[in-house]
Amino acid sequence: MTEKTLILLRGLPGSGKSTLAKTLAFENKFPVFSIDDFFTDENGNYQFDFRDNHLAYKSCEERTRNEMMKGTSLIIIDNTFTLEWEMTPYQLMAKEFGYVVHVMTIENRHDGKNIHSISEDQIDRMREKFKVIL
């Protein structure tokens, strides 16, 4: 029996999460979900609205749950996950559906730039909250 795997990619904007997610998805063979998907239209235009952030979280979680219900062997979540509680729903779903969870923290060692026009001040605030659990 094939092990079912959930990969949570976490890191600050511009760290390379989306690029790595695409690589791990093996040319779209496996699904990649992100909160950013909620704010991206069918033409690839990104328009963030903080008032809808809670809806984006729920949408990402629901899409993940649907894939787990189908038994998809590899699911990748590409979010910042700066706070531990943001990963909790995925960890609970993984336990419920028998998935092994791998959390990968992505660092910006390539001087990448965030593609969502998030200000450096906002990224600094996110960096202050970002914790690595050993």
Side-chain angles (χ1 to χ4, degrees):
M1 180 178 236
T2 304
E3 182 177 85
K4 297 182 291 187
T5 303
L6 174 67
I7 298 175
L8 303 179
L9 299 178
R10 66 187 300 251
L12 296 175
S15 62
K17 297 178 304 297
S18 298
T19 301
L20 180 59
K22 289 175 188 169
T23 300
L24 295 173
F26 297 102
E27 297 180 4
N28 298 317
K29 180 178 178 184
F30 300 106
V32 175
F33 300 126
S34 172
I35 290 169
D36 289 337
D37 298 341
F38 185 86
F39 300 106
T40 305
D41 68 19
E42 60 277 351
N43 296 320
N45 299 312
Y46 181 79
Q47 186 63 45
F48 179 77
D49 185 343
F50 184 76
R51 295 171 297 186
D52 291 334
N53 213 26
H54 66 289
L55 298 173
Y57 275 92
K58 287 298 174 196
S59 174
C60 191
E61 290 168 20
E62 287 173 10
R63 294 167 69 206
T64 302
R65 176 174 286 281
N66 289 339
E67 283 298 321
M68 287 184 174
M69 288 171 47
K70 292 193 284 187
T72 302
S73 62
L74 174 63
I75 302 169
I76 303 158
I77 310 299
D78 160 20
N79 288 332
T80 56
F81 293 122
T82 55
L83 301 171
E84 185 72 20
W85 68 263
E86 295 170 326
M87 291 184 279
T88 301
Y90 300 98
Q91 292 167 328
L92 293 173
M93 278 189 272
K95 185 174 183 180
E96 178 183 350
F97 291 100
Y99 280 75
V100 173
V101 179
H102 297 280
V103 177
M104 299 174 72
T105 302
I106 312 305
E107 297 178 353
N108 185 354
R109 294 184 181 229
H110 58 285
D111 198 28
K113 303 297 179 207
N114 84 82
I115 60 172
H116 300 304
S117 302
I118 299 171
S119 72
E120 285 300 316
D121 289 342
Q122 179 63 25
I123 292 175
D124 287 342
R125 286 192 294 277
M126 295 171 78
R127 186 177 292 112
E128 290 173 8
K129 297 185 293 185
F130 198 89
K131 302 284 187 248
V132 176
I133 307 298
L134 301 176

Short mmCIF file of all heavy atoms in Angstrom, two decimals, residues 61-120:
data_model
loop_
_atom_site.label_atom_id
_atom_site.label_comp_id
_atom_site.label_asym_id
_atom_site.label_seq_id
_atom_site.Cartn_x
_atom_site.Cartn_y
_atom_site.Cartn_z
N GLU A 61 -8.60 24.73 3.12
CA GLU A 61 -8.83 23.55 3.96
C GLU A 61 -9.85 22.61 3.31
O GLU A 61 -9.66 21.39 3.30
CB GLU A 61 -9.32 23.98 5.33
CG GLU A 61 -8.25 24.67 6.15
CD GLU A 61 -8.79 25.35 7.40
OE1 GLU A 61 -9.92 25.01 7.84
OE2 GLU A 61 -8.10 26.24 7.93
N GLU A 62 -10.92 23.16 2.75
CA GLU A 62 -11.95 22.33 2.10
C GLU A 62 -11.39 21.60 0.88
O GLU A 62 -11.69 20.41 0.68
CB GLU A 62 -13.14 23.19 1.70
CG GLU A 62 -13.98 23.64 2.87
CD GLU A 62 -15.06 24.64 2.48
OE1 GLU A 62 -15.29 24.84 1.26
OE2 GLU A 62 -15.67 25.22 3.40
N ARG A 63 -10.60 22.28 0.09
CA ARG A 63 -10.02 21.65 -1.09
C ARG A 63 -9.08 20.51 -0.68
O ARG A 63 -9.05 19.45 -1.31
CB ARG A 63 -9.30 22.69 -1.94
CG ARG A 63 -10.29 23.69 -2.54
CD ARG A 63 -9.63 24.91 -3.13
NE ARG A 63 -8.89 24.56 -4.33
CZ ARG A 63 -7.85 25.24 -4.78
NH1 ARG A 63 -7.42 26.31 -4.14
NH2 ARG A 63 -7.23 24.86 -5.87
N THR A 64 -8.33 20.74 0.40
CA THR A 64 -7.45 19.69 0.92
C THR A 64 -8.25 18.50 1.40
O THR A 64 -7.93 17.35 1.09
CB THR A 64 -6.57 20.27 2.06
OG1 THR A 64 -5.83 21.38 1.56
CG2 THR A 64 -5.63 19.22 2.60
N ARG A 65 -9.31 18.76 2.16
CA ARG A 65 -10.17 17.68 2.67
C ARG A 65 -10.74 16.86 1.51
O ARG A 65 -10.76 15.63 1.55
CB ARG A 65 -11.29 18.24 3.53
CG ARG A 65 -12.28 17.17 4.01
CD ARG A 65 -13.30 17.73 4.98
NE ARG A 65 -12.70 17.98 6.28
CZ ARG A 65 -12.46 17.03 7.18
NH1 ARG A 65 -12.78 15.78 6.93
NH2 ARG A 65 -11.92 17.33 8.34
N ASN A 66 -11.20 17.53 0.47
CA ASN A 66 -11.77 16.82 -0.69
C ASN A 66 -10.74 15.89 -1.33
O ASN A 66 -11.08 14.76 -1.72
CB ASN A 66 -12.32 17.81 -1.71
CG ASN A 66 -13.58 18.50 -1.24
OD1 ASN A 66 -14.27 18.00 -0.34
ND2 ASN A 66 -13.87 19.65 -1.80
N GLU A 67 -9.51 16.34 -1.45
CA GLU A 67 -8.45 15.49 -2.02
C GLU A 67 -8.15 14.32 -1.09
O GLU A 67 -7.92 13.19 -1.55
CB GLU A 67 -7.18 16.28 -2.29
CG GLU A 67 -7.24 17.14 -3.52
CD GLU A 67 -7.44 16.37 -4.82
OE1 GLU A 67 -6.87 15.26 -4.99
OE2 GLU A 67 -8.17 16.88 -5.68
N MET A 68 -8.14 14.56 0.20
CA MET A 68 -7.88 13.48 1.15
C MET A 68 -9.00 12.45 1.10
O MET A 68 -8.74 11.25 1.20
CB MET A 68 -7.72 14.03 2.57
CG MET A 68 -6.41 14.74 2.79
SD MET A 68 -6.25 15.27 4.51
CE MET A 68 -4.58 15.90 4.50
N MET A 69 -10.22 12.89 0.95
CA MET A 69 -11.35 11.97 0.85
C MET A 69 -11.21 11.07 -0.38
O MET A 69 -11.64 9.92 -0.37
CB MET A 69 -12.67 12.74 0.82
CG MET A 69 -13.01 13.34 2.17
SD MET A 69 -14.42 14.49 2.21
CE MET A 69 -15.67 13.64 1.31
N LYS A 70 -10.59 11.59 -1.45
CA LYS A 70 -10.34 10.80 -2.66
C LYS A 70 -9.14 9.87 -2.50
O LYS A 70 -8.92 9.00 -3.32
CB LYS A 70 -10.11 11.72 -3.86
CG LYS A 70 -11.33 12.49 -4.30
CD LYS A 70 -11.16 13.12 -5.66
CE LYS A 70 -10.30 14.34 -5.62
NZ LYS A 70 -10.26 15.08 -6.90
N GLY A 71 -8.34 10.11 -1.45
CA GLY A 71 -7.17 9.27 -1.22
C GLY A 71 -5.96 9.64 -2.06
O GLY A 71 -5.07 8.81 -2.28
N THR A 72 -5.89 10.88 -2.53
CA THR A 72 -4.77 11.35 -3.34
C THR A 72 -3.47 11.08 -2.58
O THR A 72 -3.35 11.41 -1.41
CB THR A 72 -4.93 12.85 -3.65
OG1 THR A 72 -6.18 13.02 -4.34
CG2 THR A 72 -3.79 13.36 -4.50
N SER A 73 -2.49 10.50 -3.26
CA SER A 73 -1.29 10.03 -2.57
C SER A 73 -0.36 11.14 -2.09
O SER A 73 0.35 10.97 -1.10
CB SER A 73 -0.51 9.05 -3.46
OG SER A 73 -0.09 9.69 -4.64
N LEU A 74 -0.35 12.29 -2.78
CA LEU A 74 0.50 13.40 -2.36
C LEU A 74 -0.29 14.69 -2.54
O LEU A 74 -0.82 14.96 -3.62
CB LEU A 74 1.78 13.46 -3.21
CG LEU A 74 2.69 14.67 -2.97
CD1 LEU A 74 3.24 14.68 -1.55
CD2 LEU A 74 3.83 14.68 -3.98
N ILE A 75 -0.34 15.47 -1.47
CA ILE A 75 -1.00 16.78 -1.49
C ILE A 75 0.00 17.79 -0.94
O ILE A 75 0.65 17.54 0.07
CB ILE A 75 -2.29 16.78 -0.64
CG1 ILE A 75 -3.26 15.71 -1.14
CG2 ILE A 75 -2.94 18.16 -0.66
CD1 ILE A 75 -4.43 15.46 -0.21
N ILE A 76 0.09 18.94 -1.61
CA ILE A 76 1.05 19.96 -1.21
C ILE A 76 0.29 21.24 -0.88
O ILE A 76 -0.55 21.69 -1.66
CB ILE A 76 2.05 20.23 -2.35
CG1 ILE A 76 2.76 18.93 -2.74
CG2 ILE A 76 3.05 21.32 -1.96
CD1 ILE A 76 3.34 18.94 -4.12
N ILE A 77 0.60 21.81 0.28
CA ILE A 77 0.00 23.08 0.70
C ILE A 77 1.10 24.12 0.73
O ILE A 77 2.12 23.94 1.40
CB ILE A 77 -0.67 22.98 2.09
CG1 ILE A 77 -1.61 21.78 2.19
CG2 ILE A 77 -1.40 24.30 2.41
CD1 ILE A 77 -2.75 21.77 1.21
N ASP A 78 0.89 25.21 0.03
CA ASP A 78 1.87 26.28 -0.13
C ASP A 78 1.32 27.54 0.54
O ASP A 78 0.59 28.30 -0.07
CB ASP A 78 2.09 26.48 -1.65
CG ASP A 78 2.69 27.80 -2.02
OD1 ASP A 78 3.31 28.45 -1.17
OD2 ASP A 78 2.55 28.20 -3.19
N ASN A 79 1.61 27.70 1.83
CA ASN A 79 1.16 28.86 2.59
C ASN A 79 2.31 29.37 3.46
O ASN A 79 3.27 28.65 3.69
CB ASN A 79 -0.03 28.51 3.50
CG ASN A 79 -1.31 28.29 2.71
OD1 ASN A 79 -1.50 28.83 1.64
ND2 ASN A 79 -2.19 27.46 3.25
N THR A 80 2.18 30.57 3.98
CA THR A 80 3.25 31.08 4.83
C THR A 80 3.34 30.32 6.14
O THR A 80 4.43 30.08 6.64
CB THR A 80 3.08 32.59 5.12
OG1 THR A 80 1.80 32.80 5.70
CG2 THR A 80 3.26 33.41 3.86
N PHE A 81 2.21 29.96 6.73
CA PHE A 81 2.18 29.24 8.01
C PHE A 81 3.12 29.87 9.02
O PHE A 81 3.92 29.19 9.66
CB PHE A 81 2.55 27.76 7.84
CG PHE A 81 1.56 26.94 7.07
CD1 PHE A 81 1.96 26.27 5.92
CD2 PHE A 81 0.26 26.80 7.49
CE1 PHE A 81 1.06 25.48 5.20
CE2 PHE A 81 -0.66 26.02 6.78
CZ PHE A 81 -0.25 25.37 5.64
N THR A 82 3.04 31.19 9.19
CA THR A 82 3.92 31.86 10.14
C THR A 82 3.56 31.51 11.58
O THR A 82 4.41 31.56 12.45
CB THR A 82 3.90 33.39 9.96
OG1 THR A 82 2.55 33.84 10.04
CG2 THR A 82 4.53 33.80 8.65
N LEU A 83 2.32 31.15 11.81
CA LEU A 83 1.85 30.79 13.15
C LEU A 83 1.49 29.31 13.20
O LEU A 83 0.89 28.78 12.27
CB LEU A 83 0.64 31.64 13.54
CG LEU A 83 0.88 33.16 13.53
CD1 LEU A 83 -0.43 33.91 13.71
CD2 LEU A 83 1.87 33.54 14.61
N GLU A 84 1.85 28.68 14.29
CA GLU A 84 1.64 27.24 14.44
C GLU A 84 0.18 26.83 14.22
O GLU A 84 -0.11 25.82 13.59
CB GLU A 84 2.13 26.81 15.83
CG GLU A 84 2.08 25.33 16.07
CD GLU A 84 3.13 24.54 15.31
OE1 GLU A 84 4.15 25.13 14.88
OE2 GLU A 84 2.94 23.33 15.13
N TRP A 85 -0.76 27.62 14.74
CA TRP A 85 -2.18 27.25 14.65
C TRP A 85 -2.65 27.15 13.20
O TRP A 85 -3.63 26.47 12.90
CB TRP A 85 -3.06 28.21 15.44
CG TRP A 85 -3.14 29.61 14.88
CD1 TRP A 85 -2.42 30.69 15.28
CD2 TRP A 85 -3.98 30.07 13.82
NE1 TRP A 85 -2.75 31.80 14.54
CE2 TRP A 85 -3.71 31.45 13.63
CE3 TRP A 85 -4.95 29.46 13.01
CZ2 TRP A 85 -4.37 32.22 12.67
CZ3 TRP A 85 -5.59 30.24 12.05
CH2 TRP A 85 -5.30 31.59 11.90
N GLU A 86 -1.97 27.83 12.28
CA GLU A 86 -2.38 27.79 10.88
C GLU A 86 -2.18 26.40 10.27
O GLU A 86 -2.86 26.05 9.30
CB GLU A 86 -1.60 28.83 10.08
CG GLU A 86 -1.91 30.25 10.49
CD GLU A 86 -1.00 31.28 9.88
OE1 GLU A 86 0.20 30.98 9.67
OE2 GLU A 86 -1.47 32.40 9.60
N MET A 87 -1.29 25.60 10.84
CA MET A 87 -1.05 24.24 10.34
C MET A 87 -1.98 23.22 10.98
O MET A 87 -2.17 22.12 10.44
CB MET A 87 0.41 23.84 10.58
CG MET A 87 1.38 24.62 9.73
SD MET A 87 3.10 24.08 9.92
CE MET A 87 3.53 24.92 11.43
N THR A 88 -2.55 23.56 12.13
CA THR A 88 -3.35 22.60 12.91
C THR A 88 -4.48 21.94 12.12
O THR A 88 -4.62 20.72 12.18
CB THR A 88 -3.88 23.27 14.19
OG1 THR A 88 -2.75 23.73 14.96
CG2 THR A 88 -4.71 22.32 15.01
N PRO A 89 -5.31 22.68 11.36
CA PRO A 89 -6.39 22.01 10.62
C PRO A 89 -5.87 20.94 9.66
O PRO A 89 -6.49 19.88 9.51
CB PRO A 89 -7.07 23.14 9.85
CG PRO A 89 -6.70 24.39 10.56
CD PRO A 89 -5.35 24.13 11.16
N TYR A 90 -4.73 21.19 9.04
CA TYR A 90 -4.15 20.24 8.09
C TYR A 90 -3.61 19.01 8.82
O TYR A 90 -3.75 17.88 8.35
CB TYR A 90 -3.06 20.91 7.26
CG TYR A 90 -3.61 22.08 6.47
CD1 TYR A 90 -3.48 23.38 6.94
CD2 TYR A 90 -4.30 21.87 5.28
CE1 TYR A 90 -4.01 24.45 6.23
CE2 TYR A 90 -4.83 22.93 4.57
CZ TYR A 90 -4.69 24.21 5.06
OH TYR A 90 -5.22 25.27 4.36
N GLN A 91 -3.01 19.24 9.96
CA GLN A 91 -2.49 18.12 10.75
C GLN A 91 -3.64 17.24 11.26
O GLN A 91 -3.52 16.01 11.25
CB GLN A 91 -1.64 18.65 11.91
CG GLN A 91 -0.36 19.29 11.40
CD GLN A 91 0.38 20.10 12.45
OE1 GLN A 91 -0.22 20.69 13.34
NE2 GLN A 91 1.70 20.13 12.34
N LEU A 92 -4.73 17.86 11.66
CA LEU A 92 -5.89 17.09 12.12
C LEU A 92 -6.52 16.29 10.97
O LEU A 92 -6.88 15.13 11.14
CB LEU A 92 -6.93 18.01 12.76
CG LEU A 92 -6.51 18.66 14.08
CD1 LEU A 92 -7.55 19.68 14.53
CD2 LEU A 92 -6.28 17.61 15.15
N MET A 93 -6.63 16.91 9.81
CA MET A 93 -7.16 16.19 8.64
C MET A 93 -6.26 15.03 8.27
O MET A 93 -6.74 13.95 7.92
CB MET A 93 -7.29 17.13 7.44
CG MET A 93 -8.54 17.97 7.44
SD MET A 93 -8.70 18.85 5.86
CE MET A 93 -7.76 20.33 6.20
N ALA A 94 -4.96 15.27 8.31
CA ALA A 94 -4.00 14.21 7.96
C ALA A 94 -4.18 13.02 8.89
O ALA A 94 -4.18 11.87 8.43
CB ALA A 94 -2.58 14.75 8.04
N LYS A 95 -4.35 13.28 10.15
CA LYS A 95 -4.56 12.19 11.11
C LYS A 95 -5.87 11.46 10.81
O LYS A 95 -5.91 10.23 10.81
CB LYS A 95 -4.57 12.76 12.53
CG LYS A 95 -4.65 11.71 13.59
CD LYS A 95 -4.52 12.31 14.98
CE LYS A 95 -4.54 11.20 16.02
NZ LYS A 95 -4.40 11.74 17.38
N GLU A 96 -6.90 12.20 10.54
CA GLU A 96 -8.22 11.62 10.23
C GLU A 96 -8.18 10.71 9.00
O GLU A 96 -8.81 9.66 8.98
CB GLU A 96 -9.22 12.75 10.01
CG GLU A 96 -10.62 12.30 9.63
CD GLU A 96 -11.57 13.44 9.36
OE1 GLU A 96 -11.23 14.62 9.65
OE2 GLU A 96 -12.68 13.16 8.85
N PHE A 97 -7.43 11.10 7.98
CA PHE A 97 -7.41 10.36 6.71
C PHE A 97 -6.16 9.51 6.51
O PHE A 97 -5.96 8.95 5.44
CB PHE A 97 -7.58 11.33 5.54
CG PHE A 97 -8.96 11.93 5.47
CD1 PHE A 97 -9.19 13.22 5.94
CD2 PHE A 97 -10.03 11.22 4.96
CE1 PHE A 97 -10.45 13.79 5.89
CE2 PHE A 97 -11.30 11.76 4.91
CZ PHE A 97 -11.51 13.05 5.38
N GLY A 98 -5.31 9.43 7.52
CA GLY A 98 -4.15 8.56 7.45
C GLY A 98 -3.00 9.07 6.60
O GLY A 98 -2.32 8.28 5.94
N TYR A 99 -2.76 10.36 6.63
CA TYR A 99 -1.65 10.96 5.89
C TYR A 99 -0.46 11.20 6.81
O TYR A 99 -0.63 11.56 7.97
CB TYR A 99 -2.06 12.31 5.27
CG TYR A 99 -2.84 12.17 3.99
CD1 TYR A 99 -4.17 11.77 4.00
CD2 TYR A 99 -2.24 12.42 2.77
CE1 TYR A 99 -4.89 11.63 2.83
CE2 TYR A 99 -2.94 12.28 1.58
CZ TYR A 99 -4.27 11.89 1.62
OH TYR A 99 -4.97 11.74 0.45
N VAL A 100 0.72 11.02 6.27
CA VAL A 100 1.95 11.40 6.96
C VAL A 100 2.21 12.86 6.60
O VAL A 100 2.12 13.24 5.43
CB VAL A 100 3.14 10.51 6.50
CG1 VAL A 100 4.44 11.02 7.09
CG2 VAL A 100 2.89 9.07 6.88
N VAL A 101 2.52 13.68 7.61
CA VAL A 101 2.74 15.11 7.39
C VAL A 101 4.23 15.42 7.43
O VAL A 101 4.93 15.01 8.35
CB VAL A 101 2.01 15.95 8.46
CG1 VAL A 101 2.27 17.44 8.25
CG2 VAL A 101 0.52 15.66 8.48
N HIS A 102 4.67 16.16 6.42
CA HIS A 102 6.03 16.69 6.40
C HIS A 102 5.91 18.21 6.29
O HIS A 102 5.23 18.71 5.39
CB HIS A 102 6.82 16.16 5.20
CG HIS A 102 7.02 14.69 5.23
ND1 HIS A 102 7.99 14.09 6.00
CD2 HIS A 102 6.35 13.69 4.60
CE1 HIS A 102 7.91 12.78 5.84
NE2 HIS A 102 6.92 12.52 4.99
N VAL A 103 6.55 18.91 7.21
CA VAL A 103 6.56 20.37 7.17
C VAL A 103 7.94 20.80 6.69
O VAL A 103 8.96 20.42 7.28
CB VAL A 103 6.26 20.97 8.56
CG1 VAL A 103 6.34 22.49 8.52
CG2 VAL A 103 4.88 20.51 9.06
N MET A 104 7.95 21.57 5.63
CA MET A 104 9.21 22.06 5.08
C MET A 104 9.24 23.57 5.23
O MET A 104 8.35 24.26 4.72
CB MET A 104 9.34 21.67 3.60
CG MET A 104 9.34 20.17 3.38
SD MET A 104 9.34 19.72 1.64
CE MET A 104 10.99 20.18 1.19
N THR A 105 10.26 24.08 5.91
CA THR A 105 10.43 25.52 6.05
C THR A 105 11.38 26.00 4.96
O THR A 105 12.51 25.52 4.87
CB THR A 105 10.98 25.86 7.45
OG1 THR A 105 10.07 25.35 8.43
CG2 THR A 105 11.13 27.36 7.63
N ILE A 106 10.90 26.92 4.15
CA ILE A 106 11.65 27.39 2.99
C ILE A 106 12.26 28.75 3.34
O ILE A 106 11.58 29.65 3.82
CB ILE A 106 10.72 27.53 1.76
CG1 ILE A 106 9.85 26.28 1.57
CG2 ILE A 106 11.54 27.85 0.51
CD1 ILE A 106 10.60 24.98 1.47
N GLU A 107 13.55 28.87 3.08
CA GLU A 107 14.27 30.11 3.36
C GLU A 107 14.60 30.83 2.06
O GLU A 107 14.86 30.19 1.04
CB GLU A 107 15.56 29.82 4.12
CG GLU A 107 15.33 29.19 5.48
CD GLU A 107 16.65 28.86 6.18
OE1 GLU A 107 17.73 29.00 5.56
OE2 GLU A 107 16.59 28.45 7.34
N ASN A 108 14.64 32.12 2.14
CA ASN A 108 14.95 32.94 0.98
C ASN A 108 16.46 33.16 0.89
O ASN A 108 16.98 34.21 1.21
CB ASN A 108 14.22 34.29 1.08
CG ASN A 108 14.41 35.14 -0.16
OD1 ASN A 108 15.16 34.79 -1.06
ND2 ASN A 108 13.73 36.25 -0.21
N ARG A 109 17.17 32.14 0.42
CA ARG A 109 18.62 32.24 0.28
C ARG A 109 19.03 32.57 -1.16
O ARG A 109 20.20 32.58 -1.48
CB ARG A 109 19.28 30.94 0.73
CG ARG A 109 19.07 30.73 2.22
CD ARG A 109 19.77 29.52 2.71
NE ARG A 109 19.52 29.35 4.13
CZ ARG A 109 20.46 29.14 5.03
NH1 ARG A 109 21.71 29.08 4.65
NH2 ARG A 109 20.14 28.99 6.28
N HIS A 110 18.04 32.82 -1.98
CA HIS A 110 18.30 33.13 -3.39
C HIS A 110 17.92 34.56 -3.72
O HIS A 110 17.87 34.94 -4.88
CB HIS A 110 17.52 32.16 -4.29
CG HIS A 110 16.04 32.21 -4.03
ND1 HIS A 110 15.46 31.66 -2.92
CD2 HIS A 110 15.05 32.80 -4.72
CE1 HIS A 110 14.16 31.89 -2.94
NE2 HIS A 110 13.88 32.58 -4.02
N ASP A 111 17.62 35.36 -2.68
CA ASP A 111 17.24 36.76 -2.84
C ASP A 111 15.98 36.90 -3.68
O ASP A 111 15.85 37.81 -4.50
CB ASP A 111 18.39 37.59 -3.43
CG ASP A 111 18.18 39.07 -3.20
OD1 ASP A 111 17.53 39.45 -2.20
OD2 ASP A 111 18.66 39.87 -4.03
N GLY A 112 15.03 35.97 -3.47
CA GLY A 112 13.76 36.02 -4.19
C GLY A 112 12.90 37.18 -3.73
O GLY A 112 13.06 37.70 -2.63
N LYS A 113 12.01 37.61 -4.59
CA LYS A 113 11.09 38.70 -4.29
C LYS A 113 9.67 38.15 -4.26
O LYS A 113 9.31 37.29 -5.06
CB LYS A 113 11.18 39.80 -5.35
CG LYS A 113 12.59 40.36 -5.51
CD LYS A 113 13.07 41.04 -4.24
CE LYS A 113 14.48 41.56 -4.42
NZ LYS A 113 15.22 41.64 -3.19
N ASN A 114 8.87 38.65 -3.33
CA ASN A 114 7.49 38.17 -3.28
C ASN A 114 6.72 38.71 -4.48
O ASN A 114 6.95 39.82 -4.94
CB ASN A 114 6.85 38.51 -1.93
CG ASN A 114 6.28 39.90 -1.85
OD1 ASN A 114 5.17 40.13 -2.31
ND2 ASN A 114 7.03 40.83 -1.26
N ILE A 115 5.82 37.88 -4.99
CA ILE A 115 5.08 38.23 -6.21
C ILE A 115 3.74 38.88 -5.92
O ILE A 115 3.00 39.18 -6.83
CB ILE A 115 4.88 36.98 -7.10
CG1 ILE A 115 4.08 35.91 -6.36
CG2 ILE A 115 6.22 36.45 -7.59
CD1 ILE A 115 3.68 34.73 -7.22
N HIS A 116 3.45 39.10 -4.63
CA HIS A 116 2.15 39.65 -4.27
C HIS A 116 2.22 41.07 -3.73
O HIS A 116 1.31 41.54 -3.07
CB HIS A 116 1.47 38.75 -3.24
CG HIS A 116 1.24 37.36 -3.77
ND1 HIS A 116 0.54 37.10 -4.93
CD2 HIS A 116 1.62 36.17 -3.30
CE1 HIS A 116 0.51 35.80 -5.14
NE2 HIS A 116 1.16 35.21 -4.17
N SER A 117 3.32 41.75 -4.00
CA SER A 117 3.48 43.15 -3.60
C SER A 117 3.26 43.38 -2.11
O SER A 117 2.69 44.38 -1.71
CB SER A 117 2.53 44.05 -4.42
OG SER A 117 2.79 43.90 -5.79
N ILE A 118 3.72 42.44 -1.30
CA ILE A 118 3.64 42.61 0.15
C ILE A 118 4.81 43.50 0.56
O ILE A 118 5.95 43.26 0.17
CB ILE A 118 3.69 41.25 0.86
CG1 ILE A 118 2.50 40.40 0.43
CG2 ILE A 118 3.73 41.42 2.38
CD1 ILE A 118 2.56 38.98 0.90
N SER A 119 4.51 44.52 1.35
CA SER A 119 5.54 45.48 1.71
C SER A 119 6.60 44.84 2.61
O SER A 119 6.34 43.86 3.31
CB SER A 119 4.91 46.68 2.44
OG SER A 119 4.49 46.29 3.74
N GLU A 120 7.79 45.42 2.58
CA GLU A 120 8.87 44.93 3.44
C GLU A 120 8.50 45.06 4.91
O GLU A 120 8.87 44.22 5.72
CB GLU A 120 10.17 45.68 3.14
CG GLU A 120 10.83 45.26 1.84
CD GLU A 120 11.20 43.78 1.81
OE1 GLU A 120 11.73 43.25 2.81
OE2 GLU A 120 10.96 43.16 0.76
#
